[in-house]
Amino acid sequence: MAKLSKVADRDKLKPRRDPYWEKISSGCFLGFRKMTATSAGAWSARFYDDHSAKQLYKPLGEFSELPPSERFDAAQAAAREWFQHLGKGGASEVLTVKEVCERYVSRTTTERGEKSGKDVEKRFLRFVYGEKIAKIDIDKLKPTHLEEWRKSLRETPTISGPRKGKKRSDSALNRDMACLKAAFNLAYRDGLATNDFAWRNQLLAVKNADRRRGTYLDLTQRRQLIEKCPSDLANLVEAMCLLPLRPGAFADLKVSNFDSRLATLNVGKDKSGHDRLISLPNKATEFFKRMCVNKLPTAHVLTRANGKPWEKDYWKIPFKDAVIEAGLSAATTLYALRHSAITDLIHSGVDTLTVSQVSGTSIGMIERHYGHLTHAHTKKSLEALML
């Protein structure tokens, strides 16, 4: 058994392929290997698993950024952390950042649906898989790796929308960081990472990034917009004027989601991650009856002129053209209709919980973006109590 704590003792070791091992505790060993007399040497850990009766190994690295006199302590600390991780039931499997992300995509697809999984996957494809960070083992991640990745992401220009070609906004940065952080946290919870130190502070969201939604369309503007839209897009726009759902939720609706007898709409998993049943007012009921006539239960309620489902890449250009023809602000997006519908509900006195449930948005988000409206309504209601 070798003595590895002193630099002089390690220097005396003959270069070889197999590590020299020093016992840390029962079944736990710290290893050191150098292939040449002049190399810094690499450290590793070995653990005997009683359950499987197998030796488990983990490379720890060279710790070449530290002075030689400090490398043993650093390697021993890393080894002990891994031993504790295994002792608590943690996995011995070593995953790269890319593999951790792929695992999160799979879990998201299972729990929240294929569309949510695809959305996360697209973000990883654009901002993670092609980066240096993707090849790093999650247990070898350092805050500096994520600081570098975050800086690169910040400088990556947007590829669509009114900010196309410009530096990413704080809200866009937060959304992309949130996906990666969620993937890391899942791996940590499932025992695939020994700690969360590397990303705990480096992937914190930018504060106050999500400002209140600003583009509001009144009823006259909404009608003008519908008139300027092609007939297929007009149906989608009208639907968004009737209910405060996300565009993607409308695009995913099937005829089977609508119950004309009970006047209800079952909205499948969208960004909110769960189904919800909405009781429809008469006007919305009549609209969906019209959209569903002579269609099979598996058919989409709202489709393009060619009968195919809607996707954002198909409604962007014709919607922008309609906005210009209607004389509206160039900043108007399809999402502005959802904002306008939610604003009207709040103004009319509908409670925050109900608005949250119908729109598929958390109460916290409603408070954050529309709280000023609820406060104004409360003030008006309290004034009625004055003697």
Side-chain angles (χ1 to χ4, degrees):
M1 196 69 64
K3 292 293 185 180
L4 305 176
S5 59
K6 296 181 179 180
V7 177
D9 290 337
R10 296 199 300 272
D11 287 342
K12 294 177 184 178
L13 298 175
K14 293 182 179 180
R16 70 181 194 184
R17 180 174 295 277
D18 296 329
Y20 292 91
W21 297 101
E22 179 173 332
K23 185 175 180 180
I24 302 296
S25 59
S26 179
C28 301
F29 296 83
L30 178 64
F32 177 75
R33 177 184 69 173
K34 59 179 182 178
M35 302 294 287
T36 66
T38 58
S39 64
W43 298 84
S44 58
R46 190 179 83 200
F47 178 83
Y48 180 73
D49 182 19
D50 292 327
H51 180 71
S52 64
K54 292 182 178 180
Q55 297 282 359
L56 304 178
Y57 297 86
K58 179 179 175 63
L60 302 175
E62 294 185 350
F63 299 97
S64 56
E65 72 278 7
L66 299 175
S69 60
E70 297 179 12
R71 293 173 188 172
F72 173 82
D73 289 339
Q76 182 176 232
R80 288 187 184 279
E81 185 176 44
W82 185 59
F83 298 148
Q84 292 175 1
H85 170 74
L86 295 176
K88 293 177 182 178
S92 60
E93 181 182 7
V94 178
L95 297 182
T96 63
V97 169
K98 184 175 187 292
E99 290 169 333
V100 165
C101 291
E102 290 171 339
R103 189 171 177 275
Y104 179 68
V105 169
S106 178
R107 181 72 66 88
T108 301
T109 302
T110 300
E111 296 182 353
R112 298 178 57 188
E114 186 174 350
K115 185 175 181 181
S116 294
K118 288 290 185 183
D119 178 67
V120 173
E121 185 177 38
K122 286 180 180 178
R123 292 182 189 277
F124 290 154
L125 283 168
R126 288 179 58 199
F127 306 122
V128 179
Y129 293 169
E131 303 295 323
K132 291 187 294 184
I133 194 176
K135 299 179 180 179
I136 301 174
D137 292 343
I138 188 170
D139 269 343
K140 291 184 178 179
L141 268 180
K142 298 178 181 178
T144 51
H145 291 139
L146 292 169
E147 182 181 0
E148 181 182 347
W149 175 83
R150 177 172 174 152
K151 183 179 179 181
S152 174
L153 180 61
R154 162 67 82 184
E155 299 300 324
T156 301
T158 55
I159 60 173
S160 62
R163 292 183 58 83
K164 183 177 180 180
K166 297 181 181 179
K167 188 172 69 173
R168 302 184 69 71
S169 65
D170 288 343
S171 58
L173 182 68
N174 283 349
R175 286 193 294 271
D176 295 325
M177 288 195 303
C179 287
L180 185 58
K181 187 174 184 178
F184 288 157
N185 286 339
L186 174 63
Y188 181 50
R189 289 195 304 270
D190 288 350
L192 296 169
T194 55
N195 63 71
D196 63 348
F197 175 72
W199 64 86
R200 190 186 309 154
N201 295 318
Q202 292 300 326
L203 295 182
L204 291 176
V206 179
K207 293 183 178 180
N208 302 317
D210 295 317
R211 301 179 180 88
R212 293 173 183 168
R213 271 53 173 168
T215 306
Y216 173 81
L217 304 181
D218 59 31
L219 293 179
T220 299
Q221 290 173 317
R222 292 176 224 178
R223 293 190 186 102
Q224 290 174 343
L225 183 57
I226 293 174
E227 290 176 1
K228 299 300 181 180
C229 287
S231 58
D232 54 353
L233 182 58
N235 291 332
L236 177 59
V237 171
E238 184 176 354
M240 294 203 63
C241 293
L242 294 171
L243 294 174
L245 305 184
R246 296 178 178 84
F250 277 118
D252 288 342
L253 284 177
K254 303 289 182 63
V255 173
S256 58
N257 293 122
F258 172 60
D259 189 324
S260 59
R261 184 176 61 86
L262 298 178
T264 58
L265 187 68
N266 181 24
V267 182
K269 296 179 181 179
D270 60 357
K271 188 178 179 181
S272 64
H274 56 80
D275 294 356
R276 58 193 188 279
L277 192 67
I278 301 175
S279 295
L280 300 174
N282 291 336
K283 191 170 183 179
T285 300
E286 292 305 315
F287 170 81
F288 282 103
K289 283 182 178 178
R290 190 169 77 250
M291 293 297 103
C292 294
V293 66
N294 297 328
K295 289 184 178 179
L296 296 173
T298 55
H300 283 83
V301 174
L302 299 165
T303 59
R304 293 147 55 198
N306 59 8
K308 295 183 178 180
W310 279 106
E311 292 181 14
K312 64 181 179 180
D313 290 334
Y314 295 118
W315 69 57
K316 279 182 182 179
I317 295 177
F319 183 81
K320 188 174 183 179
D321 292 340
V323 166
I324 294 173
E325 289 189 37
L328 303 177
S329 167
T332 302
T333 63
L334 195 56
Y335 218 88
L337 296 167
R338 169 177 159 86
H339 161 66
S340 301
I342 292 176
T343 300
D344 287 351
L345 290 174
I346 297 293
H347 262 307
S348 64
V350 179
D351 64 276
T352 305
L353 176 60
T354 300
V355 175
S356 167
Q357 292 172 337
V358 173
S359 62
T361 300
S362 69
I363 293 178
M365 288 290 285
I366 295 293
E367 276 294 324
R368 210 155 37 241
H369 297 304
Y370 304 94
H372 60 297
L373 300 179
T374 61
H375 298 156
H377 177 75
T378 300
K379 180 180 179 181
K380 183 176 180 181
S381 299
L382 289 175
E383 286 176 349
L385 302 178
M386 297 297 102
L387 296 175

